[in-house]
Amino acid sequence: MHNISRIFVLAVLLLGLVTTAQAGCAQQSEGEVIFGESCAECHSSAQSGRTPSVFSLSSLSPRAIVSALEDGVMQSEGATLSRDQRIMVAEALTSRTYSETTLPETAFCSEQSTQVFEAESVSWMGFGGNIEGTGFQPDDRAGLTVSEIPSLELLWAFAFPDASEVRTKPTIVGELALFGDQFGVVYAVDTNTGCVRWIFEADAGIRGAILVDTDDNGRPLAYFVDFRTNAYALDIDAGIVVWKERVGWHPESNNTGSPTLYGNRLFIPISSMEVVMGGDPSYECCTSSGAVAALDKRTGELLWYHRVIPGYPEEAGLNALGTQLWAPSGAPVWSSPTIDLSRGRVYVGTGENYTRPTTATSDAIIAIEMATGEIAWSFQGTESDAFTMACTGFLNRQNCPAPPGPDLDFGMAPILVTREDGRDILVVGQKSGMVWALNPDADGDVLWSTRVGKGSALGGIHWGMASDGHFAYAANADRDAVVVDVHPDQEAAPGLYALDLMTGEIVWSAPAPRDTCEERQGCYPANSAAPTVIPGAVFAGGLDGHIRAYSTSDGQMLWDFDTVQEFETSNGIRGKGGSIDGPGPVIANGLVFVNSGYGQFGQIPGNLLLVFGVPDN
Ligand code: HEC
């Protein structure tokens, strides 16, 4: 099979050469023609903000481009093309042959595992490592002390075949790490060596965490959600799907945040790609609403579905091309739900509206009753924010709501933490650059708020913070992607900030080093990924591809490792590091798991999960 396809590719290449030679060098390939007709309008002109340039598209893998066109951010653009055309445009953009690499035999473990699967041996699970979303790992689970950090070394590296971004959030159960990839493969990997125990292929890419527990009969199950919002319960031992349900109500519903598991319930955040589709002036923008679904984990049955914007949107005028617009819409839930057991509530953050009129629930923190799915209260960080990709500098701005909003989502899971005075607070950072402390006992009243940066569509607090009960550690991603400058007098101030939970005062800050980006394409000196904290040290990855550890007491740098390199990998697949973005590192059982590679937004692509530890520890 492989040989045949290789010969076929060779034949195509030769044919291509012949026809090019006959027709003269000016002849465009079919892939280039497709790009010119269907993609160039947005991707070729000088863009600002989120639209990747031709340069950054060319640095992706062909499979990543096809996947974006089939079940990712470009699915509506891809829908008008045949599979062959999608492959041709991907090959033309990258000058590389399309491939779907499978793992070699040697990637799999040679010996059977002796591990008995027990829910008690879970030492990290979910977006923030726990249902409160704190990103804090206590000593006994971390297995790593501050004094050992300078001795951390790379123990093994795992490469994701054909990938250009890594958003995995490994769940650690004893000696097993479970995580999904850009194309929907779920991996279970031995944490000692990186050998693969088993894989499972979902229908679309997986961005959230893989959750695990055992059922009443002790049978181990894994729960996860793919980008198309299909939720799965997988019997780990038998390798069979126990149930599978599509959760999102809108055809364009997506899952980007991690689900959260508590008791018999699986809480699933729902976003949508209408923010991208809205860039197309012939698209009837927009009819989706962000949502949270609660499923019975035993059967997949839907218990409730909380729409952030209740009811169906109404006609909201025509755009300049005469296309019907709809409102209210948007307020996607990008992030992972946080569980508050004492108050019986689920908290999520929402993003902007896509059309006007806007709602009070966009760019907001929403408290939902766990039992019923009804709203308890909401707190809005930014009012009247309506935005689609049409606002990012396209030639056609017809679907950009007037006036364009600044796109200041809450992208992170709210953190529920108990302070030193015994009071529970919710701390959450926003893309506006603000950190908010809300009172969960007083309908989200603001206890304090602190600005840590300028904020923008890709700035401010993008993916998250962590908290150890003393401080909140906020990663500020401020960079050059300001669509609407709401704080013109404010300087961009990327870096890591420690805030006192009692007062909101900035105790220390560690500006992102600038020198690492001098010679590096797609490099930004900024902290966008969520940090993770253990007693005494906070770990934060940079868009420059460095992973660093800082002392929690004064922000002094304890460790710095550059991941933008090629590494030998445990599975024999070629692996290169890139920007670190998305979820924070996972620290468990003496190991530090770090994602490297995030090719979106013009950042440095890569395909690695790197695992550090102190040798012979
Ligand atoms: C209407 C404007 C528009 C058109 C037309 C369009 N794109 Fe895009 N594309 C975007 C925007 C905006 C994004 C960024 C979305 C995001 O990440 O939020 C994007 C993202 C992408 C990505 C994801 C990049 C990454 O880093 O993961 C790929 C791949 C892509 N486009 C390829 C294409 C191809 C190929 C075509 C033509 C078949 C196309 N696009 C047509 C606007 C457009």
Side-chain angles (χ1 to χ4, degrees):
M1 185 62 201
H2 273 120
N3 279 336
I4 293 172
S5 60
R6 220 172 276 147
I7 291 164
F8 176 69
V9 167
L10 203 71
V12 171
L13 284 176
L14 287 174
L15 266 176
L17 284 178
V18 174
T19 41
T20 324
Q22 278 167 348
C25 290
Q27 179 80 35
Q28 282 187 312
S29 73
E30 202 172 326
E32 286 166 341
V33 173
I34 298 166
F35 183 82
E37 284 169 358
S38 314
C39 325
E41 177 196 5
C42 302
H43 287 285
S44 278
S45 47
Q47 300 292 340
S48 66
R50 301 165 67 119
T51 317
S53 64
V54 175
F55 167 77
S56 61
L57 291 182
S58 72
S59 63
L60 300 176
S61 66
R63 187 172 164 194
I65 294 177
V66 171
S67 158
L69 292 168
E70 289 182 345
D71 52 33
V73 294
M74 290 285 99
Q75 59 200 22
S76 64
E77 283 74 16
T80 57
L81 305 174
S82 68
R83 179 158 174 93
D84 283 349
Q85 289 175 314
R86 294 192 281 264
I87 290 176
M88 280 189 274
V89 74
E91 292 187 334
L93 274 167
T94 57
S95 310
R96 282 165 60 191
T97 309
Y98 180 83
S99 67
E100 274 184 57
T101 311
T102 45
L103 291 183
E105 281 294 307
T106 51
F108 291 86
C109 305
S110 49
E111 278 161 33
Q112 287 275 319
S113 168
T114 51
Q115 182 182 332
V116 181
F117 190 102
E118 280 168 341
E120 295 76 57
S121 44
V122 172
S123 52
W124 182 282
M125 182 163 87
F127 186 83
N130 47 48
I131 57 173
E132 294 88 8
T134 59
F136 173 69
Q137 184 69 313
D139 270 331
D140 54 334
R141 290 182 173 191
L144 180 74
T145 61
V146 174
S147 60
E148 290 171 320
I149 291 174
S151 321
L152 283 172
E153 283 179 22
L154 183 69
L155 300 183
W156 51 269
F158 183 90
F160 295 90
D162 310 316
S164 57
E165 66 178 39
V166 189
R167 299 173 179 247
T168 60
K169 186 75 183 171
T171 284
I172 311 297
V173 200
E175 299 184 342
L176 207 59
L178 296 107
F179 44 83
D181 83 356
Q182 190 177 354
F183 308 112
V185 181
V186 177
Y187 296 91
V189 166
D190 186 298
T191 58
N192 296 305
T193 62
C195 71
V196 178
R197 294 247 167 254
W198 52 262
I199 59 171
F200 172 84
E201 283 186 48
D203 292 353
I206 293 176
R207 299 189 173 188
I210 314 293
L211 309 174
V212 290
D213 74 358
T214 46
D215 70 6
D216 295 344
N217 305 317
R219 175 172 67 157
L221 291 162
Y223 307 89
F224 44 90
V225 188
D226 71 22
F227 190 68
R228 299 292 304 139
T229 75
N230 297 302
Y232 305 73
L234 180 76
D235 179 327
I236 290 179
D237 287 342
I240 36 175
V241 174
V242 179
W243 56 258
K244 174 183 172 193
E245 298 290 338
R246 183 168 195 267
V247 183
W249 281 7
H250 192 279
E252 306 308 333
S253 291
N254 291 122
N255 170 257
T256 45
S258 288
T260 309
L261 188 64
Y262 172 68
N264 281 328
R265 290 179 181 202
L266 191 60
F267 300 94
I268 299 171
I270 310 281
S271 61
S272 100
M273 279 302 137
E274 280 199 304
V275 63
V276 180
M277 302 168 76
D280 174 358
S282 63
Y283 183 75
E284 292 199 9
C285 183
C286 283
T287 48
S288 68
S289 161
V292 182
L295 267 55
D296 187 321
K297 73 165 194 197
R298 296 163 296 191
T299 57
E301 184 200 345
L302 181 71
L303 301 173
W304 49 255
Y305 192 90
H306 174 90
R307 277 178 63 113
V308 174
I309 302 171
Y312 199 80
E314 292 175 14
E315 293 183 350
L318 307 177
N319 73 13
L321 277 195
T323 310
Q324 182 66 56
L325 300 176
W326 301 88
S329 66
V333 181
W334 298 116
S335 64
S336 183
T338 296
I339 309 287
D340 183 341
L341 292 183
S342 352
R343 294 163 195 83
R345 285 176 181 159
V346 179
Y347 305 111
V348 291
T350 66
E352 80 284 27
N353 290 114
Y354 300 153
T355 42
R356 296 189 182 279
T358 56
T359 63
T361 49
S362 58
D363 295 348
I365 300 302
I366 298 185
I368 301 167
E369 299 293 356
M370 206 179 339
T372 61
E374 253 138 59
I375 186 164
W377 55 260
S378 69
F379 161 78
Q380 189 165 40
T382 301
E383 284 176 16
S384 194
D385 183 4
F387 171 93
T388 68
M389 288 300 161
C391 306
T392 60
F394 293 153
L395 301 175
N396 53 55
R397 290 175 66 99
Q398 284 98 332
N399 269 0
C400 175
D407 184 20
L408 300 179
D409 311 321
F410 280 102
M412 64 171 279
I415 293 175
L416 179 66
V417 60
T418 308
R419 283 197 315 209
E420 280 153 350
D421 65 351
R423 169 179 258 179
D424 286 351
I425 65 166
L426 274 173
V427 266
V428 58
Q430 193 186 349
K431 289 199 322 194
S432 61
M434 293 297 289
V435 178
W436 305 95
L438 308 179
N439 184 351
D441 291 315
D443 291 347
D445 276 1
V446 178
L447 294 166
W448 51 257
S449 65
T450 303
R451 172 168 293 288
V452 300
K454 183 175 180 62
S456 68
L458 289 177
I461 296 136
H462 204 180
W463 281 92
M465 317 198 306
S467 182
D468 53 12
H470 308 292
F471 299 154
Y473 305 92
N476 175 14
D478 280 353
R479 47 170 278 203
D480 57 348
V482 182
V483 175
V484 176
D485 195 347
V486 259
H487 307 289
D489 47 342
Q490 192 77 35
E491 289 287 310
L496 190 67
Y497 290 77
L499 281 70
D500 188 324
L501 285 183
M502 296 299 296
T503 59
E505 190 193 335
I506 296 174
V507 187
W508 56 257
S509 64
R514 304 203 138 257
D515 52 341
T516 48
C517 284
E518 275 161 16
E519 306 266 299
R520 209 166 255 185
Q521 279 272 19
C523 185
Y524 298 93
N527 291 97
S528 176
T532 299
V533 62
I534 63 172
V538 54
F539 286 72
L543 294 181
D544 61 355
H546 284 246
I547 174 77
R548 301 180 176 95
Y550 304 84
S551 161
T552 53
S553 50
D554 57 8
Q556 192 202 325
M557 205 189 294
L558 305 171
W559 181 65
D560 180 356
F561 185 94
D562 182 5
T563 71
V564 187
Q565 310 175 40
E566 293 218 7
F567 294 95
E568 255 186 59
T569 63
S570 61
N571 57 359
I573 302 284
R574 209 171 142 231
K576 189 191 146 288
S579 296
I580 300 177
D581 205 354
V586 166
I587 303 171
N589 309 335
L591 301 174
V592 182
F593 297 77
V594 179
N595 289 344
S596 177
Y598 202 97
Q600 283 209 38
F601 315 133
Q603 299 169 177
I604 312 166
N607 65 334
L608 286 173
L609 175 68
L610 300 170
V611 182
F612 300 89
V614 178
D616 301 319
N617 196 355

